[in-house]
Amino acid sequence: MNIFERDLLGAPISILDKDFHKIQAVIDNSQKILAELNLSYHSKNEVREIFSKLTGSDVDTSFELLPPFYTDFGKNIMVGKNVFINQNCTFMDRGGITIDDNALIAPRVNLITINHCLEPSHRRDVYSKPIHICKNVWIGTNTTVTQGVTIGENSIIAAGAVVTKDIPANVIAAGVPAKVIKNI
């Protein structure tokens, strides 16, 4: 298994790994693309083109992103149709982020698929787990979604929530940590 496959499967990855330079090369390239995206004005079509270059796959013409946008990797982000991502979002995507059709992502949302190992001697090692945002989800301003979380179809995450566990479909969740507060 190569380092990218190990990373996506959640194996601990050390910066001392003999193949870490391959991950670092993707990170460095992503930062160049983000500088292009974030440091000047672009039309909606140009934003889609730059985002497609960042992720390595074409996004639908209905996709919309308001820069600035931040990511550590970029290649493990997949977005569906009619997805809207507002400004100042950070996606740490080494574990994979899937955002299904009609999802709305408010400003300053953090989707974080990566975490550090707990043991002090391996604290700089990281492991990843995917995040899945299902169809018609609305994630409110300044929300953080942590690794391994799925947010079910049609659900709403209230502003400022910290989502550490799966959220079922058709609910509103709020709080730190986020809990279901209402069915919809």
Side-chain angles (χ1 to χ4, degrees), residues 1-58:
M1 228 183 305
N2 69 41
I3 194 165
F4 299 108
E5 293 167 331
R6 289 187 287 133
D7 201 25
L8 273 174
L9 288 175
I13 302 293
S14 169
I15 60 172
L16 302 176
D17 188 293
K18 68 178 179 58
D19 290 329
F20 187 79
H21 69 278
K22 295 175 182 179
I23 287 177
Q24 189 63 55
V26 174
I27 292 169
D28 292 345
N29 187 59
S30 294
Q31 298 316 298
K32 290 176 189 174
I33 295 168
L34 289 173
E36 177 187 357
L37 175 68
N38 293 334
L39 297 178
S40 64
Y41 171 79
H42 300 283
S43 70
K44 288 180 182 184
N45 285 335
E46 290 169 333
V47 168
R48 279 190 285 277
E49 288 173 16
I50 296 168
F51 193 83
S52 294
K53 184 167 51 168
L54 177 69
T55 63
S57 59
D58 290 336

Side-chain angles (χ1 to χ4, degrees), residues 143-161:
T143 291
T144 296
V145 179
T146 61
Q147 64 173 190
V149 167
T150 295
I151 300 176
E153 281 191 32
N154 306 314
S155 287
I156 299 169
I157 307 301

Side-chain angles (χ1 to χ4, degrees), residues 3-176:
I3 194 165
F4 299 108
E5 293 167 331
R6 289 187 287 133
D7 201 25
L8 273 174
L9 288 175
I13 302 293
S14 169
I15 60 172
L16 302 176
D17 188 293
K18 68 178 179 58
D19 290 329
F20 187 79
H21 69 278
K22 295 175 182 179
I23 287 177
Q24 189 63 55
V26 174
I27 292 169
D28 292 345
N29 187 59
S30 294
Q31 298 316 298
K32 290 176 189 174
I33 295 168
L34 289 173
E36 177 187 357
L37 175 68
N38 293 334
L39 297 178
S40 64
Y41 171 79
H42 300 283
S43 70
K44 288 180 182 184
N45 285 335
E46 290 169 333
V47 168
R48 279 190 285 277
E49 288 173 16
I50 296 168
F51 193 83
S52 294
K53 184 167 51 168
L54 177 69
T55 63
S57 59
D58 290 336
V59 295
D60 191 77
T61 57
S62 62
F63 172 75
E64 192 171 349
L65 168 75
L66 292 182
F69 176 79
Y70 306 97
T71 186
D72 64 335
F73 199 71
K75 297 298 183 202
N76 294 334
I77 301 170
M78 296 176 18
V79 296
K81 296 179 180 177
N82 297 309
V83 169
F84 175 75
I85 301 171
N86 214 316
Q87 61 189 356
N88 287 311
C89 290
T90 299
F91 291 8
M92 305 294 282
D93 68 294
R94 282 180 41 195
I97 295 172
T98 302
I99 303 173
D100 291 343
D101 296 348
N102 304 310
L104 301 172
I105 311 293
R108 295 187 315 277
V109 167
N110 301 297
L111 303 180
I112 312 297
T113 68
I114 199 164
N115 203 350
H116 291 269
C117 295
L118 297 178
E119 185 179 324
S121 64
H122 291 281
R123 187 80 34 92
R124 293 201 61 181
D125 297 357
V126 297
Y127 61 97
S128 303
K129 294 180 184 173
I131 291 173
H132 186 182
I133 309 300
C134 296
K135 291 180 183 178
N136 304 311
V137 166
W138 173 20
I139 300 179
T141 300
N142 206 34
T143 291
T144 296
V145 179
T146 61
Q147 64 173 190
V149 167
T150 295
I151 300 176
E153 281 191 32
N154 306 314
S155 287
I156 299 169
I157 307 301
V162 176
V163 185
T164 60
K165 296 184 178 174
D166 290 353
I167 301 297
N170 303 303
V171 299
I172 298 173
V176 179

